[in-house]
Amino acid sequence: MADTESDCESGMTDPDSDEYDSEMELEIATSYVQLCIEYVQKYYMKRPICISILSGRSYVIEVLEGNPQVCYDIFRMDKTIFRHLCNELKRLHLLEEDTGIVSVEESVGTVLFIVGHNTDYRLTANRFQHSLETIQRWFRRALRAIHTLRCLIIRPDADAAELPHVLRGNEKYYPWFEKCVGAIDGTHISASAPFGRTTAFRDRRSDITQNVMCACNFDMQFTYVHSGWEGSANDSRVMQDALGHAEYEFPWPPRGSYYLVDSGYAIGSAFLPPHKSARYHAQEFRGVNRQPTTPQELFNYRHSSLRMVIERCFGVLKAWFPILTEMHSFSISRQRLLVTACCALHNFIRMYNRADEMFHVWEGSFVPNSDANPVGAARVGSGGTEKVFNARAQRAMSEYRDAITAAMWADYIGNRD
């Protein structure tokens, strides 16, 4: 009897189960139909994205023929400098015209729009009315072209072996730093770290950055850029890498000349840091009763004041190109290109538009030599880092610094009395 009842129950159909199966089938069918509709709308009934009547080419022409301030605000340079940059890239065959698609002016404008406003590809594509693929391709091409241009404009003056004439009339610096040809320092540029290497790119403030070492002259032009090091690397380590490899082409000064560096770098035959264990930064001497009280403090104060030119260069660079303070998710190699390309743009503007308002904001009362030759043959090579930083060279430069410090203090006391 029990077996009969069990057989009957097993042969019965559960109405709740049938209803559940029907609902599942209906839901699957509905989802399938929805996917089909979306597919047809996306691939067969596409709505165009670039619908503006103002194409990218027309937009660039409108900006260049309009109010000069508009061009400066959008492309971060005057219209004459913009046209000159495009003409130079054409003349040097660094960037070729793509007839009917993207002009050189449009390609350069794309780069300046992205680095000058930190915009992403999608917004740039909407502004210039091109597909994402076109914008990405021409951004890469124009960026590489500007990066290549650096070989001609990021280099020291071949005749630079001492202070420029404009500073020789300043008793604060001359004759004490007579053989100084520029300043070197590192700066942290925002970075996008590769997967698994985030910790290496964190600087002491826990920001994701790359440590970039730069040299500049007293005309506020970069003469050397070494980028790509993780933010956790210290300045001395970055310099060691730059000096130790001939392929990086560090511009060594003539024998007897030197660069000013801060206390984060070692003293050497071509590098003059300040005295340690004494006040150094210029702002520490501002205010009543805060004048230098020892020979070392006086030397450090004037050293810091003269070396400040590299800080001004960094200030102008980051104010011009906000992408350096909030980097996009580019590869490390492209991030390095971005840094050197921005430095090249910095120099190009300085060379051909000395009256640019950004320089006036940052240079303060310092007026560089307008007669300086902006392009020269760089002195490059391995430099023999062992000789530069060996005990004998360090002792000689330390004695040289002590002699300057003593003479500077004697002159300072004599003039004060």
Side-chain angles (χ1 to χ4, degrees), residues 371-401:
D371 297 328
N373 181 12
V375 178
R379 298 169 295 276
V380 299
S382 64
T385 55
E386 296 82 4
K387 295 182 179 180
V388 172
F389 293 110
N390 64 23
R392 181 177 179 180
Q394 291 185 328
R395 183 170 57 254
M397 181 57 90
S398 181
E399 292 173 352
Y400 176 74
R401 180 180 61 187

Side-chain angles (χ1 to χ4, degrees), residues 188-209:
H188 285 267
I189 301 295
S190 175
S192 177
F195 178 77
R197 297 184 60 194
T198 303
T199 302
F201 280 83
R202 288 196 183 278
D203 60 17
R204 60 186 179 184
R205 298 180 180 177
S206 297
D207 296 326
I208 307 298
T209 64

